Amino acid sequence: MATPVHENVQKYYGCRLEKSRDLQTNANCALPSCPVPKSVLEALKLVHPEVRERYFGCGLIIPEKLEGCNILDLGSGSGRDCYILGKLVGGTGLVIGVDMTQELILMSRKYIQYHQEKFGFEKPNTVFVQGYVEKLYEVGIQDDYFDVLVSGCVICLCPDKAAVLKEAYRVLKEGGELYFSDVYASKTVPENVKQDEVLWGEGLGGSLYWMDLISLVKDIGFSRPYLVAASHIVIRNSELLEKTGDITYASGTYRVFKLPENRTNGNAIVTYQGTVSDHPDQLVFDASHTFKKGVAIEVDAETAAVLQYSRFSSDFSILNADAPLTIQESSPPYSHLNPFLLADRLGASMLQCSKSGARVKQQ
């Protein structure tokens, strides 16, 4: 049964928002940490314009190596990411989108045949189901079925974040990945902000303090989170900005994995083989790990387990390290997982690039 929070979100996204530009923040414009792959951009171009215009998530939430995968989109909205994913998994893969808002489910279903024909598939490989992401069991989503789960700025809209993540863990296969973006706060959000319907609808009122995410995913059983991309959120509405007080917000994209419980991994020497499509020279796994083809590097035990047990296992040679990995603590704990620091870094990088481009033009 829907809670008052669910009902408010359904009204906000089903009736109040008609297009992406109706959002009161720039949360759907997260900066990537590396260029978007060509295959993703080509798939995006094939998505029906109405589906693209009603996208309200955080950037492009599309991980690597998806051909033949079974994928679940938590909070699929207009279906934009589902259709991009449908193109990338190919005719042998399956994409299921779950969303609680009837208007968005009906709109996304309307274009199933359009995209099947556009992609040249013999049959549809995309399904849309109305339901709650906290209760996937109610719509028949089975255990240990999916290779990848994705979600774009949806967990922040849910009143019970732990329930969403527990369900995600349940339906993932061993070695499976949850690849998700969300809105995060610079500190714990107070009750008066949580109670504001517009702030909650924009993902601000229900956002987690970013450090709480780390403990939450680990308590449920996932690997530690790997931070992929981040961007500062700009609140365009002055009234909303005043209500949020001294809290700042960032959108962050993380990846976490469901690893075997009884694994015995140690630190390892790993070498990327250059075999992931669109990434022949290097694989930017997250903001802290870039694997260059043919270059052996040492990683800690958990990262070694992620590479060994996930869909990336055939793309790496993995050798046990002879000695424990020594980590130099030159920065505060978890700073590499802080979306605000990464947003600063990416923003500075983008600014430097724009300045360099301006200088080139002047010359």
Side-chain angles (χ1 to χ4, degrees):
M1 183 176 294
T3 67
V5 171
H6 288 119
E7 292 174 352
N8 290 334
V9 172
Q10 285 175 305
K11 291 176 184 176
Y12 198 77
Y13 285 87
C15 305
R16 178 166 179 166
L17 299 182
E18 295 184 359
K19 295 184 178 181
S20 302
R21 62 174 177 265
D22 295 331
L23 288 166
Q24 301 299 303
T25 73
N26 66 333
N28 66 333
C29 304
L31 293 175
S33 56
C34 58
V36 178
K38 181 180 178 183
S39 61
V40 176
L41 293 176
E42 290 176 346
L44 176 61
K45 291 177 183 177
L46 296 176
V47 175
H48 193 280
E50 184 182 359
V51 174
R52 293 201 306 267
E53 287 175 357
R54 293 208 68 185
Y55 177 74
F56 305 120
C58 304
L60 281 164
I61 314 305
I62 312 292
E64 315 84 1
K65 196 176 181 181
L66 299 178
E67 186 172 359
C69 286
N70 292 335
I71 300 180
L72 179 66
D73 186 353
L74 302 175
S76 52
S78 69
R80 189 201 72 168
D81 286 353
C82 284
Y83 286 123
I84 295 173
L85 293 163
K87 177 69 166 67
L88 297 175
V89 301
T92 60
L94 172 68
V95 179
I96 298 178
V98 176
D99 201 282
M100 67 177 178
T101 305
Q102 184 178 28
E103 291 88 345
L104 293 175
I105 286 290
L106 293 175
M107 195 202 75
S108 54
R109 285 175 178 168
K110 186 167 65 172
Y111 295 106
I112 289 176
Q113 184 176 353
Y114 171 91
H115 290 96
Q116 175 201 338
E117 295 173 354
K118 201 77 171 175
F119 299 159
F121 295 157
E122 291 184 5
K123 59 181 181 180
N125 68 346
T126 309
V127 177
F128 296 96
V129 179
Q130 186 175 358
Y132 298 102
V133 295
E134 302 98 324
K135 299 179 179 180
L136 297 173
Y137 54 86
E138 289 187 345
V139 292
I141 304 296
Q142 58 187 295
D143 296 359
D144 307 312
Y145 184 75
F146 294 95
D147 303 287
V148 178
L149 269 62
V150 300
S151 183
C153 286
V154 168
I155 298 175
C156 58
L157 301 175
C158 300
D160 190 345
K161 276 82 167 143
V164 178
L165 293 169
K166 287 176 182 176
E167 277 292 86
Y169 189 86
R170 177 182 69 82
V171 304
L172 272 175
K173 294 178 181 177
E174 190 174 273
E177 175 182 12
L178 169 59
Y179 188 93
F180 63 108
S181 68
D182 211 34
V183 177
Y184 297 97
S186 58
K187 64 181 187 179
T188 302
V189 175
E191 282 301 317
N192 66 300
V193 175
K194 291 181 180 179
Q195 297 302 321
D196 189 283
E197 293 182 7
V198 176
L199 287 174
W200 192 284
E202 291 285 329
L204 306 177
S207 60
L208 277 174
Y209 171 43
W210 69 271
M211 285 197 71
D212 289 341
L213 172 73
I214 300 169
S215 56
L216 184 56
V217 296
K218 292 176 77 173
D219 288 347
I220 287 169
F222 283 108
S223 71
R224 71 168 181 267
Y226 293 82
L227 177 60
V228 178
S231 183
H232 290 294
I233 290 178
V234 177
I235 302 174
R236 304 187 184 107
N237 185 305
S238 58
E239 289 184 21
L240 297 184
L241 182 61
E242 184 176 353
K243 288 180 180 179
T244 58
D246 61 349
I247 303 174
T248 56
Y249 297 88
S251 60
T253 301
Y254 291 90
R255 59 197 325 165
V256 296
F257 293 82
K258 181 179 178 178
L259 299 176
E261 293 182 5
N262 298 318
R263 64 187 185 276
T264 57
N265 291 73
N267 301 325
I269 306 296
V270 302
T271 307
Y272 176 51
Q273 306 297 308
T275 47
V276 176
S277 297
D278 288 326
H279 305 273
D281 300 318
Q282 64 179 25
L283 178 65
V284 181
F285 190 76
D286 71 335
S288 301
H289 297 87
T290 296
F291 300 106
K292 296 183 182 297
K293 179 182 178 181
V295 178
I297 63 171
E298 187 171 359
V299 297
D300 62 42
E302 189 167 51
T303 302
V306 165
L307 298 178
Q308 180 178 345
Y309 293 105
S310 70
R311 66 188 186 281
F312 298 104
S313 60
S314 63
D315 302 298
F316 287 84
S317 66
I318 303 174
L319 299 173
N320 289 335
D322 294 330
L325 178 63
T326 300
I327 300 176
Q328 299 293 331
E329 291 289 354
S330 58
S331 56
Y334 301 126
S335 62
H336 62 295
L337 300 178
N338 186 334
F340 295 89
L341 293 180
L342 180 58
D344 286 342
R345 198 174 89 201
L346 292 176
S349 177
M350 293 285 285
L351 179 61
Q352 184 61 41
C353 288
S354 65
K355 288 180 178 179
S356 297
R359 285 197 293 269
V360 171
K361 288 180 180 180
Q362 288 171 1
Q363 292 171 1

